[in-house]
Every structure is written in structure tokens, then in C-alpha cells.
């Protein structure tokens, strides 16, 4: 039988999954490569594991929300990601949805 800590951790991961997608999209309004994206998210308090980030980036790109390009920087090849036009439109819609849900939840959990 799962413990309270196990249940909490499972629910916490579910909550983070959707919010991390929104955060990644928001950060990719500016072109970044994977490591710089992880750093930018960490600086605002959102840690994300490489094992979660890179599959998410590939999935978002396959959905048409991101574009990517391999380039050499500092004598190393890096894959740079940026929002596509579709990604920009989805970010606006998801941001609106987030704000509405956040407002509602703030009223519920007070």
C-alpha cells in the first residue's frame, strides 16, 4: 500500500508536468539550447531533470510547437530550440487558461 509520501510525490509530479510545459514554452520565446534552458528555469525556481526535459523538447517539436537547429558554439554542436508560430499561438492560449485556472484555484484554496 502506498504511503502518504508516495501519494504526495505522485500528485506533485502530475501537477508539475503540465506547468513545466507552460514554463518551457514561455522560456523558448527566446532561442535557447537545452542546458541554457535548464539553467534559465532553475534560476526562477523550476528545476527540471535532463531525462524529462529532452523528451519534452522532442515531443513539443514533433507537435509543431518548437523549431530546432543544430549549430556550433564554443567549438561544440548544440541544438537550439525556439517557439514556432504555432507554439507562440498555443503559448498565448495556454497562458490564458493558466491565469483563469489560477484565479479559480486561488479562490478555492484560501
Amino acid at each position: 500500500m502506498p504511503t502518504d509520501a508516495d501519494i504526495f510525490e505522485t500528485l506533485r509530479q502530475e501537477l508539475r508536468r503540465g506547468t513545466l510545459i507552460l514554463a518551457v514554452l514561455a522560456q523558448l520565446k527566446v532561442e535557447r539550447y537545452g542546458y541554457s534552458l535548464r539553467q534559465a528555469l532553475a534560476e526562477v525556481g523550476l528545476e527540471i531533470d535532463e531525462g524529462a526535459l529532452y523528451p519534452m523538447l522532442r515531443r513539443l517539436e514533433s507537435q509543431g510547437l518548437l523549431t530546432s537547429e543544430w549549430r556550433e558554439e564554443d567549438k561544440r554542436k548544440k541544438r537550439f530550440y525556439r517557439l514556432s508560430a504555432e507554439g507562440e499561438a498555443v503559448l498565448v492560449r495556454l497562458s490564458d487558461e493558466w491565469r483563469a485556472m489560477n484565479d479559480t484555484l486561488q479562490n478555492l484554496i484560501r
Side-chain angles (χ1 to χ4, degrees):
M1 176 163 253
T3 67
D4 288 345
D6 295 335
I7 293 168
F8 172 80
E9 186 58 27
T10 298
L11 294 173
R12 187 181 77 81
Q13 290 297 324
E14 287 180 25
L15 181 62
R16 280 180 49 88
R17 194 168 293 122
T19 55
L20 284 173
I21 290 170
L22 181 56
V24 164
L25 293 174
Q27 286 291 307
L28 289 175
K29 291 185 278 188
V30 174
E31 184 179 71
R32 299 178 189 275
Y33 61 95
Y35 181 73
S36 68
L37 175 58
R38 281 187 68 213
Q39 286 181 311
L41 291 169
E43 285 174 11
V44 296
L46 290 173
E47 300 286 337
I48 185 168
D49 184 60
E50 286 180 19
L53 177 61
Y54 291 104
M56 180 191 302
L57 290 171
R58 286 190 296 275
R59 186 176 67 253
L60 293 171
E61 185 175 20
S62 73
Q63 293 169 335
L65 303 180
L66 302 179
T67 60
S68 71
E69 176 185 345
W70 284 99
R71 285 201 308 265
E72 191 171 310
E73 184 179 274
D74 301 326
K75 299 184 182 185
R76 294 183 60 201
K77 289 201 110 181
K78 298 177 183 179
R79 190 170 194 160
F80 287 82
Y81 295 89
R82 184 178 183 90
L83 283 181
S84 66
E86 180 68 20
E88 290 176 14
V90 167
L91 175 59
V92 169
R93 292 177 62 199
L94 285 176
S95 297
D96 290 344
E97 183 69 19
W98 170 261
R99 287 182 194 97
M101 288 179 62
N102 190 48
D103 291 345
T104 300
L105 287 169
Q106 286 295 332
N107 289 327
L108 287 173
I109 61 177
R110 288 183 191 197

